[in-house]
Amino acid sequence: MVDKTLEQILLKKFNYRTFRPGQEEAILAALQSQDSLVMLPTGSGKSICYQLPGYMKEGLVVIVSPLLSLMQDQVEKLKANGERQVAALNSLSSRAEKNRIFKQLHLLKFLYISPEMIQFDFLMQRLKQLKIALFVVDEAHCISQWGMDFRPDYLKMGEIRRKLNNPTTMALTATATESVRNEIKESLHMNHEETQEIIHSVDRKAIKLKVAICDGNKKERLTELVNQLKGAGVIYFSSKKLADEIAETLRTDHGLKAESYHSDLTVDDKVKVQQQFIDNTIQLICATSAFGMGIDKPDIRFVIHYHMPANPEMYLQEIGRCSRDGKEGIAILLFEAGDQYLQMRLQENALPDESLLNYIYKNNLKIKAEQADPKVQIGQFYVNAEIPYNVALYQIQNREKLKQNQLDYMLKYVYHTGCKRAFLLHYFDEAVMNKPANCCSSCDPSLEQHFFSEDIERTNKNTEKLDWKTRFKQLYKIDEESMN
Ligand SMILES: [Zn+2]
């Protein structure tokens, strides 16, 4: 039963007529001051879940977000919708800006803040004096996902929440298995029984799934594909260097409008590339996983992975940028035997080994600002939290096993001959309901051809590929005689 008042506010403030699945339940939980864990697929309008109740409740909505681009993006969107009482506090804010926001904190409706910034004592003191309508932890799976974006600071949000006197909390995520969801609740000190879980399927039926196993010809397969696929696309790489190189090749050798995007770009360049991609001046983005959070381009038609991602969560998150407009798109994973070792190497560099952890504990190394090495950072986190050495070691070793299992699952996904969609959903304890047409490369071996440019001209999708003479004739309506 849709609440009419809520719908009126939805129209007035956000210019939408109807709620998307899950939104209304999340809003109602917030309005009833009930803690919630909300899992909605990427692109399903998660921000409305906390912004709308923000307008109906007295007090400030604090949104902790791990990603700066996402924060900026949300602030700009709210401002464009006429909201003036919104600000973001993070490492990009200038000192003057911080001071200004700090002084006007009591006037704000929405405060976006990085997990590092919210820990500052003076800020916490001020926040404690204010009425907090809702405490939102965005991308909550980062609490558990000790991967590339891991920040020890995210694990402190439970403590922050307690210091703020346990305000109504909403943990938001797009992809989390049941065990990760439990970990989120535990870490945020949310009551297991009383927290409302609003879980929607991670399955995005508009996105068709293909795995292409290559045999020493991955680059060729990639260029072939991007020359044929229609619409805008993102190609994900695990290496910045390769992202640069391939973008260059696609531009110079194939005349494609391609740019690379990764953490070495300046903020200005990032914004420029994003904007050009959104208005279709750029057709292809060669990116590392730094790209995509908060990018609201509805008509991305394909996402290609040049390297296999570390886990199904990350894969789903990244392909989720495809087809936000609900029209069909394709996710293609290019795989070459041995690719898994690249991920293994990357993972080895993510967690401290026994001797490093031992060294950090012996020397009682504590966290200092701007630590470079994430491995050291993780060790220091445990020292800071005064967790005994043996417990820390046990947890880190468990973490390593978990990561290995996740990578194994990706590898099995690659070689799985049954339905790829069913296999991927199984990881999230889900089954396929109403299998879509052209589901995956196991269900339809010539899947990608539905997404090739020639398709537009073909009247019958099942026609065999025509030779050049016939196509030429069709195009120019030339009859047989004049060709010979
Ligand atoms: Zn399938």
Side-chain angles (χ1 to χ4, degrees), residues 6-17:
L6 291 185
E7 275 199 333
Q8 281 161 8
I9 299 172
L10 182 71
L11 184 64
K12 193 171 154 226
K13 293 284 185 189
F14 303 97
N15 209 17
Y16 288 113
R17 289 195 177 273

Side-chain angles (χ1 to χ4, degrees), residues 237-252:
F237 297 86
S238 293
S239 133
K240 298 174 200 171
K241 198 168 151 257
L242 201 59
D244 284 336
E245 279 172 21
I246 301 244
E248 172 77 34
T249 310
L250 294 177
R251 272 196 308 269
T252 47

Side-chain angles (χ1 to χ4, degrees), residues 312-351:
E313 286 94 334
M314 196 177 273
Y315 188 55
L316 230 61
Q317 185 97 12
E318 288 175 354
I319 66 173
R321 280 149 205 154
C322 188
S323 291
R324 291 199 174 176
D325 54 9
K327 292 179 188 153
E328 291 198 341
I330 185 167
I332 303 174
L333 173 58
L334 297 175
F335 183 84
E336 198 120 53
D339 276 358
Q340 64 272 35
Y341 301 114
L342 174 68
Q343 274 304 339
M344 279 158 121
R345 271 203 307 280
L346 290 172
Q347 293 191 4
E348 272 164 23
N349 291 324
L351 291 170

